[in-house]
Amino acid sequence: MIKAIFFDLFFTLITPAYEKSNNEFDLLDLSVNQWERYAEDDILYRERALGMVKTETEIIDKIISNLPFEANDIQKRKVLNARENRMKNALQSVSEEILDVLQKLKAMDIKLGLISNADVIDCKYWNQSPLCQYFNDAVFSCRVGLLKPDRQIYELAMQRLNVAPRQCLFIGDGGSNELCGAKSAGMKTVFSEMLETKTHEQRKNILKNADYHVSHIKELFYFV
């Protein structure tokens, strides 16, 4: 019997999409691909997602330091504001359908938990999100010093909700090899394409570690 469902946040419950203008890359006269290459650099991402980079301004400073040109303090401040607003908007503009399903799962006495690789900007506005009211607990990597797919982050999440692995589902889009980590911790895994459709090759690889596959959030009721 399923007693707890753990969700990944990004591309499972929310999509931190760029606006049409005044995004981080616009402010630096970069393409979105150029910006992503610098901003999502593996080493920098790991540092901030593990909580080694503790402030919002330090995150932007480290990304900017990766660029092949200088940026002034005004640009840095605008980039930070744009990034914070993007995350805030994503957390506050949640699909009503998603909220309705979460409410129904709660009414079934299923505990809901979040396990997300995130930095301090990513989770800054979590408490202001309509999602927050439905979750018993949220484990953000930057606050616990653990990153998916390390099995310890899943074990910590289960410990905090006092549930056994056999009682749990983990739902995610498959990024960061998260389904493999969840399986190693003993959870059943659900590959979600609810908010983002993967390529054929990506889907084939992710499905190797998925017990179930959903394309719509209402399909979760099949497993509980």
Side-chain angles (χ1 to χ4, degrees), residues 82-180:
R83 192 172 185 85
E84 287 188 331
N85 287 336
R86 181 160 63 89
M87 296 304 170
K88 183 177 182 180
N89 290 340
L91 283 165
Q92 293 182 344
S93 305
V94 183
S95 159
E96 287 297 328
E97 199 163 43
I98 288 176
L99 297 176
D100 180 62
V101 168
L102 295 178
Q103 183 179 38
K104 288 175 179 175
L105 291 171
K106 289 287 287 185
M108 295 167 65
D109 290 326
I110 294 173
K111 295 179 180 180
L112 300 181
L114 195 75
I115 306 175
S116 186
N117 288 352
D119 62 36
V120 293
I121 295 176
D122 295 335
C123 59
K124 183 174 183 177
Y125 299 103
W126 169 249
N127 290 337
Q128 297 178 32
S129 174
L131 289 168
C132 184
Q133 63 186 306
Y134 299 110
F135 281 78
N136 299 86
D137 190 39
V139 176
F140 293 109
S141 63
C142 64
R143 295 178 180 173
V144 299
L146 295 167
L147 269 178
K148 294 180 295 185
D150 186 338
R151 66 179 292 169
Q152 291 183 77
I153 195 170
Y154 305 91
E155 291 170 343
L156 175 64
M158 289 187 285
Q159 179 184 352
R160 283 163 53 156
L161 288 190
N162 192 30
V163 289
R166 66 180 182 279
Q167 301 170 321
C168 300
L169 285 178
F170 176 80
I171 302 167
D173 73 314
S176 302
N177 211 18
E178 62 186 355
L179 299 186
C180 180

Side-chain angles (χ1 to χ4, degrees), residues 11-31:
F11 304 106
T12 302
L13 296 172
I14 68 168
T15 303
Y18 291 106
E19 300 294 334
K20 292 182 179 179
S21 61
N22 293 320
N23 292 295
E24 297 105 293
F25 55 90
D26 294 322
L27 295 164
L28 296 167
D29 197 26
L30 294 169
S31 70

